[in-house]
Amino acid sequence: MNNLWILNMGFVALLIGIGLYCLLAMKNTVKLLIGVEIIAKGVTLALVASGYARDNLMLAQAMVITVIVIDVAVIATALALIISINRHTKSLDVSKLTQLKG
Amino acid sequence: MLFLFIIVPLLLAGLLPLLGKLSKRFLPDLLASAAMLFLLVLSVVSAKPLIAGGGIIQQAFWFGAPLNIRLLLDGFSLFMLFTISLVSFAVTLYSINYMDHYGAKANYYALLLVMIAGMNGLVLSSDLFNIYIFLEMAAIASYALVAFGRGHEELEASFKYLMLSAVASAFILLSIAVIFGMTGGVSFGTVAQGLKTLNVKYVVGVCSGLFLAGFGLKAALVPFHSWLPDAHPSAPAPISAMLSAVLIKVSGVYAMTRIFLNVFGLTPALTTVLTVMGVVSIFVGALAALGQNDIKRMLAYSSISQIGYVVLGLGIGTPLGIIGGLFHLFNHALFKSLLFLNAGAVEQSTGTRALDKMGGLAKVMPLTATTSAVASLSIAGVPPLNGFWSKLLIIIALVQAKMHVLAVLAVLGSVITLWYYLVLQRYAFFGKLNEAWQGVREAPFWMSASMVLLALLCVVTGLVFPFAIHSWLQPAADVLGQGIGVALNFIGF
Amino acid sequence: MHLFLLIGLVAFSIMAVLSRDLLKSAISLAVASIFLALVFFHLGAVYAGVFELSVVAGLITVLFITAIALTRNDGEVAESKRHRIVFPLFFLALAVLDILVMRKLLGQIPAIQGAGSGTFSQVLWNQRTFDLVGQVGAIFAGVLAVLALFRHDSPKGDSHE
C-alpha cells in the first residue's frame, strides 16, 4: 500500500513539473491557466492517493470536493480577468503585459 | 459565539448585492461599517474574557442548534482577530468617501467582507485543511479587489498576483497532502502527534520547504516577493491598506508561524532559514524602496522590508523575539494602512502618485500631512512612537540570542527606512507648494476621520506599550512559546 | 491498469501544454480529467471521481471554451518553437530525477494508519462542516469577482486604445 502511494506521488511530481514548465515557458494567458489546472490535478491526485494509502478515503474525498469547488471559483475569476484584459489589449499574449515592471 | 466572526461578514456579503439595488450608497456604507464595528467590539469585549485561562475550542451554534464546527481561540488567534477587525474598521470608514467614484459600492463591500470572513476563518481554524480553504477564500476576494478599478494596470497586476498565488496555494496543499499521507489526519493535534511518533526528519524538511515557499509567496518574503510591488499599488487605496496591513500577515505570517511553531516545532535549521530570509527581505525591500518615484510602490517595497522584521523576530523563537515580532506585526498594520490611506488621499486630490510632481502639499492638506508624518516617524523607529519599541525588542532579542551580525543589520535596515521616509515626506509634503496644486483641498470627512483614528492609535500604542504587551501580546507569545504542546492539547476534540 | 491510467493522465496533460490550438488544449485537459477520474474510481474514491468528471471535465472545460471563444479576435499567440526541443529534455530530466528519488523512498517511509470511519456523507457533514462554510465563501467570492469585473458602469481612466 505504501509503495502504491509512492508510485502515485511520483506521478504527482511529474504533473506538477509539467504545470510549472507551462507557467514559466508559455506566453498565452489561457495556456498559463491550463498550467495552473494541471498543478491542481496533481494535488488532487496526491490527496486521494494519501487517503487510499492511509485507509481514510472518505476524508480525502471530502477534501478533494472542496478543492475542486475552490478551483472552479479561482478559474472563473481568472478567466474573467483574461477576458477583461483582452478588451484592453486585443491579445492573449502575456508578453504584451508590460505596464508593470515587477 | 466565535462563529459570528465568520458568519456575520459572510451573510452580509450575500445580502449586500441585493440591498445595493435598493440603495446604491447609503445602506452598503452603513451596514458594512456597522458590521466592522460590531466585530471590533466583539473581539475586545466578548472574546478576550473567554481565553482568560488559556486557549479554548468552542463549538459553533446556528440559531441554538450545535454544528460540527470547532473553532480554536487562544492568545495568538485573538491578537490577530483584533488586528484584522481594527484595520478593517478604519478601512471601511475611509471607503465611504473614497470608493464613491469607482461605482458598484455594494459589490465592493461584499468582496471586502468575504475577504475578512476568510481571514477570520483562517485565524480560528484548528486544522491544516481549513487553513488552506480560508486562505483561498480571502485570496479569491483579493484578486477581484485588486482589479476593482478595471484599468489596464489593475487587471495586469491582478492576473500576475493570481498566477503566483495559485502556485503558492498548490504548494501548500501538496504539503498538506504529504502530511496527510504520513499521519492519516489533518487536524493540528493528529499531525503534531503523528510527526512526533514517526520522527521522520527528511519528510518534515520537504514539507517545511513547501510550506516556506507557499506561505513565503503569500507573505511576499524575498525571494518570493515579485508580485507585491505590482499588486498592492494597483489596488484602490483602502484595499492596498488592507492587503499590506493584514492579508499578507494573516495568510503568510500567521499561517506559517502557527504551523512551524505549534505543529512542527521550531528546529534550529528553521530558525536559521527564517532569520536569514527576514534580514534579506529587510534589505531588498528597503533598498528597492529608496529608488521609487511612485509613492504607493515605495510603500509596497517598504511592506516587504517590514515583513522581514516580523519574520526575523518570530524566527528567533525566544519569548522576547516572539513578542517583538508580534508587536511589530501589529504596529506595521497600523502605520502601513495609515500610509496607504494617506497616499490614497493625495492621489484622489491631485490625481498623481509620482513623488516628483507633488511638493508642498502640507499647506493645502494639513491633516493628511500630519498623520503621514506620524506614520513615517513611527515606521522609521523614532522614539517614543510604537515602531521604535517593537524594533528595539527585536534587536534586544537578537543580541540575547547571540546573533550579533543580524542585530547590526537590523539596525542598519532601520536607518535606511528612516532615510526613504524622509525622502517621501520631503518630496510630497514639504517645500514650496507646486503651482498646480493651489486649488487642492483636504480629504473629505470620513477619510480624514479614519486617518486621524489610525494616527492616534500609533501614538497611544507607543505611549502605553507596557500595557499593550502585558494584556495582548504576552498571551499570544505564550501560545507560541509552548511549541507543539498547544496542538497536542487539542487531540480528542 | 493503474499505471496505464496514470500514464494516460500525464500524456494528455503534456498534450494540453504543447498543443498549438487553444481549443485542442482545453479538450486535452478535459481528457486528462477523465483519466484522473478513472484513477479515482480505480482507487475506490467514487464520489471524488464523479465530481472530477462532472465539474472539472464538464464545467471547467465549458468555462475555458467560452473564454477562448470570447477572446478570439486576432490570430494565435506565437509560442516559440523552442518548446518542441526544450520540453522533451526538461521532461526527461524530470522523469529520471523523479524515478531515482522515488526508488530511494520505496519502503522507507513509515506511516500511521488513519482511523477511517463512517460513510461519505457522514464524513462530509459531520467532520468537515467547516469546509462547507469555506466552500460557500469561495463560491461567493468567485461570483462577486465575476460580477465586479463585468459590471456595466464605465471603467475608470486609463484605456489604451
Side-chain angles (χ1 to χ4, degrees):
Chain A
M1 226 166 198
N2 232 340
N3 287 348
L4 184 61
W5 185 61
I6 289 172
L7 174 73
N8 282 324
M9 281 312 197
F11 276 88
V12 169
L14 276 184
L15 282 173
I16 289 177
I18 295 170
L20 285 177
Y21 178 87
C22 185
L23 273 175
L24 291 174
M26 293 295 166
K27 281 196 284 187
N28 187 318
T29 43
V30 177
K31 266 289 172 59
L32 297 183
L33 208 56
I34 286 176
V36 170
E37 264 297 281
I38 292 173
I39 296 180
K41 279 193 207 319
V43 176
T44 39
L45 176 60
L47 278 173
V48 171
S50 294
Y52 180 75
R54 292 302 142 256
D55 201 14
N56 213 348
L57 208 48
M58 292 305 162
L59 177 57
Q61 295 191 65
M63 292 200 283
V64 164
I65 285 173
T66 310
V67 171
I68 290 176
V69 168
I70 289 175
D71 216 39
V72 172
V74 173
I75 295 289
T77 312
L79 287 173
L81 275 175
I82 289 178
I83 293 171
S84 309
I85 293 175
N86 183 262
R87 286 183 185 164
H88 279 281
T89 61
K90 302 273 175 262
S91 162
L92 292 174
D93 193 339
V94 80
S95 55
K96 290 196 182 146
L97 300 181
T98 47
Q99 289 267 304
L100 302 166
K101 291 174 269 327
Chain B
M1 193 277 300
L2 289 174
F3 195 43
L4 288 177
F5 279 106
I6 301 160
I7 206 71
V8 165
L10 212 50
L11 280 181
L12 190 56
L15 281 177
L16 269 180
L18 305 176
L19 290 174
K21 296 248 185 297
L22 296 177
S23 136
K24 278 207 157 25
R25 289 183 181 153
F26 178 69
L27 263 183
D29 282 341
L30 181 74
L31 285 175
S33 310
M36 305 300 178
L37 187 62
F38 171 70
L39 292 184
L40 180 60
V41 171
L42 197 65
S43 68
V44 179
V45 178
S46 316
K48 181 105 174 81
L50 278 179
I51 55 152
I56 57 158
I57 291 264
Q58 194 182 58
Q59 188 163 23
F61 283 85
W62 176 252
F63 291 116
L67 291 173
N68 285 297
I69 296 177
R70 284 167 193 82
L71 301 165
L72 162 71
L73 184 78
D74 56 22
F76 191 25
S77 33
L78 179 68
F79 168 72
M80 294 305 296
L81 269 184
F82 174 66
T83 313
I84 297 168
S85 310
L86 188 63
V87 175
S88 38
F89 176 61
V91 159
T92 320
L93 284 187
Y94 185 90
S95 306
I96 294 176
N97 293 138
Y98 189 84
M99 294 308 292
D100 265 346
H101 65 278
Y102 278 84
K105 232 176 176 183
N107 198 325
Y108 163 79
Y109 281 126
L111 281 166
L112 184 61
L113 285 163
V114 171
M115 188 165 99
I116 290 164
M119 289 191 286
N120 286 345
L122 197 163
V123 169
L124 290 171
S125 58
S126 62
D127 147 342
L128 292 176
F129 190 66
N130 283 337
I131 284 194
Y132 164 79
I133 297 170
F134 287 102
L135 196 79
E136 280 289 272
M137 181 170 149
I140 296 170
S142 73
Y143 309 144
L145 285 168
V146 169
F148 201 77
R150 293 187 303 166
H152 188 187
E153 185 196 335
E154 281 99 330
L155 293 168
E156 188 184 324
S158 172
F159 186 73
K160 283 182 182 168
Y161 172 35
L162 189 150
M163 284 296 148
L164 283 173
S165 186
V167 175
S169 306
F171 279 165
I172 293 166
L173 191 58
L174 179 65
S175 180
I176 294 172
V178 174
I179 290 173
F180 175 50
M182 304 285 303
T183 61
V186 285
S187 74
F188 286 170
T190 325
V191 172
Q193 172 114 60
L195 291 179
K196 203 172 145 209
T197 344
L198 287 171
N199 195 20
V200 273
K201 283 225 176 64
Y202 50 98
V203 179
V204 174
V206 170
C207 292
S208 304
L210 286 171
F211 274 141
L212 208 59
F215 291 127
L217 254 164
K218 296 272 181 190
L221 284 173
V222 176
F224 307 113
H225 64 288
S226 64
W227 60 272
L228 188 142
D230 288 342
H232 288 197
S234 302
I239 297 307
S240 314
M242 203 64 200
L243 297 182
S244 254
V246 217
L247 186 69
I248 53 173
K249 293 188 191 108
V250 172
S251 61
V253 178
Y254 170 85
M256 182 160 73
T257 317
R258 178 66 92 181
I259 291 174
F260 283 161
L261 268 65
N262 284 159
V263 181
F264 284 7
L266 195 64
T267 56
L270 213 48
T271 298
T272 316
V273 173
L274 284 176
T275 46
V276 168
M277 273 175 100
V279 169
V280 172
S281 299
I282 291 174
F283 276 90
V284 172
L287 292 175
L290 262 180
Q292 298 301 321
N293 185 37
D294 178 335
I295 182 168
K296 280 173 92 180
R297 270 183 99 80
M298 182 187 257
L299 295 177
Y301 276 112
S302 155
S303 284
I304 297 174
S305 162
Q306 303 299 316
I307 281 285
Y309 277 103
V310 176
V311 172
L312 178 62
L314 292 171
I316 307 170
T318 59
L320 192 65
I322 291 172
I323 288 185
L326 290 178
F327 194 27
H328 199 64
L329 188 156
F330 178 72
N331 292 339
H332 182 246
L334 289 181
F335 42 61
K336 188 47 66 63
S337 51
L338 177 52
L339 283 163
F340 268 118
L341 297 185
N342 291 144
V346 171
E347 190 189 357
Q348 199 186 36
S349 302
T350 64
T352 183
R353 298 202 310 237
L355 280 170
D356 54 6
K357 288 192 188 144
M358 297 172 190
L361 288 174
K363 294 194 184 69
V364 280
M365 306 179 77
L367 244 146
T368 311
T370 321
T371 49
S372 163
V374 171
S376 295
L377 293 176
S378 258
I379 198 171
V382 174
L385 293 162
N386 55 2
F388 169 72
W389 301 112
S390 49
K391 282 188 186 172
L392 187 68
L393 287 177
I394 293 173
I395 291 162
I396 294 176
L398 281 170
V399 173
Q400 280 181 352
K402 304 261 184 295
M403 302 177 182
H404 298 290
V405 182
L406 293 180
V408 172
L409 289 174
V411 175
L412 216 66
S414 181
V415 173
I416 303 179
T417 310
L418 180 62
W419 183 8
Y420 64 76
Y421 275 103
L422 287 179
V423 168
L424 186 153
Q425 289 295 322
R426 204 178 69 85
Y427 273 102
F429 296 111
F430 295 116
K432 214 164 100 299
L433 181 63
N434 193 328
E435 295 289 317
W437 315 132
Q438 291 289 1
V440 164
R441 291 224 211 104
E442 182 54 88
F445 177 73
W446 289 112
M447 280 164 71
S448 308
S450 129
M451 291 189 288
V452 171
L453 172 74
L454 286 170
L456 282 179
L457 281 170
C458 278
V459 177
V460 171
T461 319
L463 295 178
V464 300
F465 84 97
F467 166 78
I469 287 179
H470 179 71
S471 68
W472 287 91
L473 291 161
Q474 195 63 53
D478 285 345
V479 170
L480 290 174
Q482 281 166 32
I484 64 167
V486 177
L488 295 178
N489 275 337
F490 292 135
I491 289 178
F493 278 101
Chain C
M1 179 64 185
H2 190 72
L3 196 64
F4 169 73
L5 290 175
L6 287 173
I7 291 172
L9 168 61
V10 169
F12 276 95
S13 303
I14 294 174
M15 263 182 69
V17 174
L18 289 185
S19 171
R20 290 184 155 258
D21 184 10
L22 280 182
L23 220 50
K24 276 186 196 153
S25 281
I27 291 165
S28 307
L29 195 69
V31 178
S33 270
I34 294 172
F35 271 95
L36 184 59
L38 291 176
V39 171
F40 287 172
F41 285 131
H42 196 245
L43 289 174
V46 183
Y47 297 93
V50 169
F51 225 74
E52 177 78 26
L53 264 184
S54 59
V55 179
V56 182
L59 180 62
I60 291 190
T61 309
V62 171
L63 286 179
F64 264 114
I65 290 176
T66 315
I68 292 169
L70 279 175
T71 53
R72 192 168 254 199
N73 40 22
D74 70 324
E76 309 292 301
V77 177
E79 298 287 358
S80 85
K81 290 212 161 54
R82 289 204 316 272
H83 296 312
R84 304 269 157 186
I85 306 148
V86 178
F87 183 79
L89 289 176
F90 163 79
F91 185 73
L92 207 68
L94 181 70
V96 170
L97 193 73
D98 199 30
I99 291 169
L100 286 178
V101 173
M102 293 303 156
R103 273 180 76 99
K104 222 180 166 83
L105 288 182
L106 276 182
Q108 293 280 317
I109 306 243
I112 296 169
Q113 215 56 18
S117 60
T119 63
F120 178 71
S121 54
Q122 273 173 355
V123 171
L124 190 59
W125 290 110
N126 295 347
Q127 293 175 23
R128 309 300 305 177
T129 323
F130 206 19
D131 291 8
L132 296 176
V133 178
Q135 286 190 17
V136 172
I139 292 170
F140 269 14
V143 171
L144 289 167
V146 173
L147 284 178
L149 286 169
F150 292 149
R151 65 182 190 268
H152 275 296
D153 50 355
S154 61
K156 180 190 72 120
D158 59 349
S159 90
H160 289 267
E161 304 311 321

